[in-house]
Amino acid sequence: MEKKKYPAGLDIRVLVPIISLSLSLILHILLPANKNYTQKEFAYYTGFLILMLVIYTVVMIITIFHKSFRKKMAHKSWFIGVAFLLLNLYNLATIKFMLIPSIYFPSPEIIFRVFIKDGAFLLKCLGYSGKLLVTGYLSGCILGILTGILVGWSTSWNYWINPVIKVIGPIPSTAWVPIALVAFPTSFTASVFLIGLAVWFPTTVLTSSGISGVKQAYFEVSSTLGASTIQNIFKIAVPSAMPSIFIGIFNGTCASFLTLMTAEMLGVKYGLGWYINWQKDMLSYPNVYAGLITIAVTFSLLITLLFRARDKILVWQKGVIKW
């Protein structure tokens, strides 16, 4: 099938984000703040819009000379333009017309101010959350894959471990908070246990399902050629089960994010979950929104990296399953 050619030039769809940003900037500058808006105004939101406008103008120029990049940006342009439009509507509803309570729904410029003034502390909390998440997540993944291999491969291990999985697995990891606080010497190790448990269950179940679902004919052929049990497991069973293993890992990733927020309320000194809870108690909602945005961006990047790793490892599935 002949591929569609994209001649050099400008795709009009690439202009959608620029139009949306220009409209947002004009309305923000020309419309005065509501007379009942008592908070001090800052130029952070204006600076953000100008920066985004410059970036997407450069992007537009690049798309003129790069066909594949132009196709990609044209496809995403409507979503990006609508996203900026929604942000503009939120700005109008807060600082310009005050349609919603400002104490609970701060204007964008107040939220951007938090990133400027409290950015260093947010990064410190992000680093602590990252350390906690990585430690618990990796522990849960490794133990989940190993347990899943044992349960899916060996009937003896399946006999003893599978009932434990069925009893313990469905219990939310956060329900173990009282026991974790007593059983572990520090709140950090207790939090690692909770996150690891949240990842362990889906990873174990999907790994064992993938291992047990491998066709026996593969093992018969490999055994005929002299393959050992270890070779059958790690050369045939595990590679064949990788799609199921990755689904378990992705499910565990979402569970780990939820558990992290709860785990950071167990007396820890730093962390994004702790930061949000602390600012909420102080009714400092701009800081709460800044923490939520930091979490959303960070976790989105982590999920993207996992998908990229999955695509590299399961390159043979390209065109079969789309993520």
Side-chain angles (χ1 to χ4, degrees):
M1 183 178 179
E2 185 179 355
K3 293 184 178 179
K4 186 178 179 180
K5 295 183 179 180
Y6 292 85
L10 176 64
D11 192 318
I12 196 68
R13 291 173 295 177
V14 180
L15 295 175
V16 172
I18 297 177
I19 295 173
S20 180
L21 284 166
S22 300
L23 177 63
S24 301
L25 183 60
I26 292 172
L27 290 176
H28 181 65
I29 292 176
L30 295 183
L31 290 177
N34 189 280
K35 62 180 181 179
N36 296 322
Y37 188 79
T38 58
Q39 300 185 51
K40 182 180 178 181
E41 294 187 52
F42 301 94
Y44 298 123
Y45 183 60
T46 304
F48 169 77
L49 292 176
I50 293 174
L51 176 62
M52 290 295 102
L53 192 57
V54 171
I55 290 175
Y56 277 96
T57 301
V58 174
V59 168
M60 178 199 67
I61 295 173
I62 295 175
T63 59
I64 296 175
F65 305 100
H66 292 79
K67 300 177 183 179
S68 59
F69 185 59
R70 179 167 72 249
K71 178 183 176 182
K72 182 178 180 181
M73 291 305 303
H75 175 70
K76 295 182 177 181
S77 60
W78 285 107
F79 180 84
I80 297 172
V82 170
F84 285 128
L85 178 62
L86 291 176
L87 180 62
N88 181 43
L89 292 176
Y90 177 76
N91 183 61
L92 295 176
T94 53
I95 191 173
K96 303 300 182 181
F97 300 112
M98 289 195 68
L99 300 177
I100 50 181
S102 59
I103 185 173
Y104 300 115
F105 300 97
S107 63
E109 64 179 20
I110 300 297
I111 299 175
F112 282 118
R113 179 173 177 264
V114 174
F115 284 108
I116 300 298
K117 292 192 64 178
D118 219 17
F121 191 67
L122 275 171
L123 287 176
K124 185 175 182 179
C125 291
L126 177 61
Y128 187 94
S129 295
K131 178 183 177 181
L132 182 59
L133 179 66
V134 169
T135 305
Y137 180 78
L138 290 180
S139 301
C141 279
I142 294 171
L143 291 175
I145 292 173
L146 292 177
T147 307
I149 291 173
L150 292 175
V151 173
W153 180 262
S154 172
T155 55
S156 298
W157 283 102
N158 182 284
Y159 176 82
W160 291 105
I161 299 179
N162 199 40
V164 178
I165 296 174
K166 291 180 178 179
V167 173
I168 297 178
I171 302 175
S173 59
T174 52
W176 296 91
V177 169
I179 298 176
L181 289 175
V182 175
F184 293 91
T186 64
S187 59
F188 181 85
T189 53
S191 300
V192 168
F193 165 76
L194 295 175
I195 296 172
L197 184 61
V199 178
W200 171 81
F201 174 63
T203 305
T204 297
V205 171
L206 271 300
T207 299
S208 62
S209 176
I211 294 292
S212 60
V214 179
K215 294 181 179 180
Q216 290 298 319
Y218 296 160
F219 302 118
E220 293 173 0
V221 172
S222 63
S223 298
T224 302
L225 296 175
S228 63
T229 301
I230 297 298
Q231 289 175 324
N232 278 330
I233 293 175
F234 291 101
K235 295 291 185 179
I236 297 177
V238 172
S240 300
M242 284 304 293
S244 295
I245 294 174
F246 267 104
I247 293 175
I249 290 174
F250 288 141
N251 290 338
T253 302
C254 297
S256 69
F257 294 161
L258 295 173
T259 308
L260 175 66
M261 296 299 100
T262 302
E264 288 188 334
M265 298 177 185
L266 303 181
V268 297
K269 295 181 180 180
Y270 301 104
L272 291 176
W274 167 85
Y275 179 84
I276 291 174
N277 189 58
W278 170 45
Q279 297 296 337
K280 175 181 67 67
D281 291 340
M282 298 177 62
L283 294 180
S284 183
Y285 279 87
N287 298 69
V288 171
Y289 281 90
L292 290 173
I293 293 171
T294 304
I295 290 173
V297 173
T298 304
F299 289 174
S300 178
L301 290 175
L302 290 176
I303 289 291
T304 301
L305 290 176
L306 281 175
F307 279 129
R308 293 290 176 87
R310 178 227 174 258
D311 292 339
K312 290 291 183 181
I313 295 174
L314 302 182
V315 65
W316 51 271
Q317 280 196 325
K318 186 177 181 180
V320 178
I321 297 178
K322 296 182 179 180
W323 294 95

